[in-house]
Amino acid sequence: MKKINFPELTKTLAMLMVMTGLSVACAVVKEPPMLPIVAVPLLPEPEPPPQTVSSLQLVLETVLFEFDKASLLPEGLLKVEEFSKIIQKHEPRTVV
């Protein structure tokens, strides 16, 4: 687009109107001001939250005691020892 000197354009249009007897309309379009370009730093990727176990449910089935006693049978003792190893791996722990 060619820039035109506004006073010169006005003078030329006025002469043209007088010479031809025509009505001429003109619109001046002002370009919007350029906004400044601002560099915005990118945010780093957030670290994923640590994976935690909120609850762990273990069910000991058929833990057998000796008849009429509080001592475990060998199979029951193995199951309780397995359970003990599992719960010792998880901190903090609450056993109900």
Side-chain angles (χ1 to χ4, degrees), residues 13-85:
L13 288 175
M15 285 177 32
L16 183 63
M17 289 172 58
V18 170
M19 292 168 69
T20 60
L22 297 174
S23 298
V24 178
C26 179
V28 177
V29 178
K30 218 175 185 186
E31 292 184 25
M34 292 291 293
L35 297 176
I37 298 174
V38 179
V40 178
L42 296 176
L43 295 176
E45 285 283 328
E47 292 185 23
Q51 292 185 354
T52 60
V53 177
S54 60
S55 68
L56 181 65
Q57 182 177 1
L58 298 172
V59 178
L60 294 174
E61 295 178 7
T62 321
V63 177
L64 300 176
F65 292 85
E66 291 196 30
F67 180 75
D68 208 19
K69 295 184 181 176
S71 54
L72 293 167
L73 289 174
E75 312 89 60
L77 187 58
L78 286 174
K79 289 184 181 184
V80 170
E81 286 174 352
E82 278 182 45
F83 175 74
S84 172
K85 288 177 187 175

Side-chain angles (χ1 to χ4, degrees), residues 2-16 26:
K2 183 179 176 185
K3 289 193 175 192
I4 299 174
N5 186 351
F6 187 72
E8 190 177 307
L9 175 64
T10 307
K11 187 189 222 181
T12 306
L13 288 175
M15 285 177 32
L16 183 63
C26 179

